[in-house]
Amino acid sequence: MLKKLSMGLIILALIFGIWGCGGKTNGEQPQNPSTEQPQQEEPLKPQYLTPIPEGTPLGESNMKLSEQIMGQKDVLGTQIYEQMETVFGDITFNAGVDKAYANQLIKELLAQMKTNYPGKPLTAQAISDGQVIDSVSFKP
């Protein structure tokens, strides 16, 4: 009797061991790497500026935007102005600023300028050492 009980427990342990190691886990089917296509996702870029709500008066919006830009790393100054029917947003950076960072910041500036100046041609520029190091534009 004891031998049968021991044998039953061993068989039960084997069944649970095999059952626990096989097939599906957490309701998911195992993935077959040879049939799946790799997904190439663009790495998430940090967002430096908080969008200013649409409908905010232009002067207030530009002031809040300038305050946010001035609070960023390596920024010396900023200016938003209109010249020959194009609105420019300039950000002046310290010498040696990381160009990818400067590019991301002017892209965010341009996105906000699209909200503030609908239907107008726009240009956002990164300036360092008196030179334009990067520029992005939008034409409606």
Side-chain angles (χ1 to χ4, degrees), residues 24 43 49 86 91 128:
K24 300 179 181 179
L49 305 178
T86 298
I91 303 175
S128 181

Side-chain angles (χ1 to χ4, degrees), residues 13-23:
L14 285 173
I15 290 172
F16 281 121
I18 292 170
W19 181 57
C21 292

Side-chain angles (χ1 to χ4, degrees), residues 64-100:
K64 287 181 178 181
L65 188 57
S66 293
E67 286 174 1
Q68 286 187 53
I69 291 169
M70 289 302 297
Q72 301 302 315
K73 175 182 87 163
D74 288 328
V75 172
L76 297 174
T78 185
Q79 184 177 11
I80 299 171
Y81 58 96
E82 190 168 351
Q83 183 177 341
M84 296 173 45
E85 298 183 23
T86 298
V87 179
F88 289 87
D90 295 346
I91 303 175
T92 304
F93 292 93
N94 286 323
V97 66
D98 178 66
K99 290 188 181 189

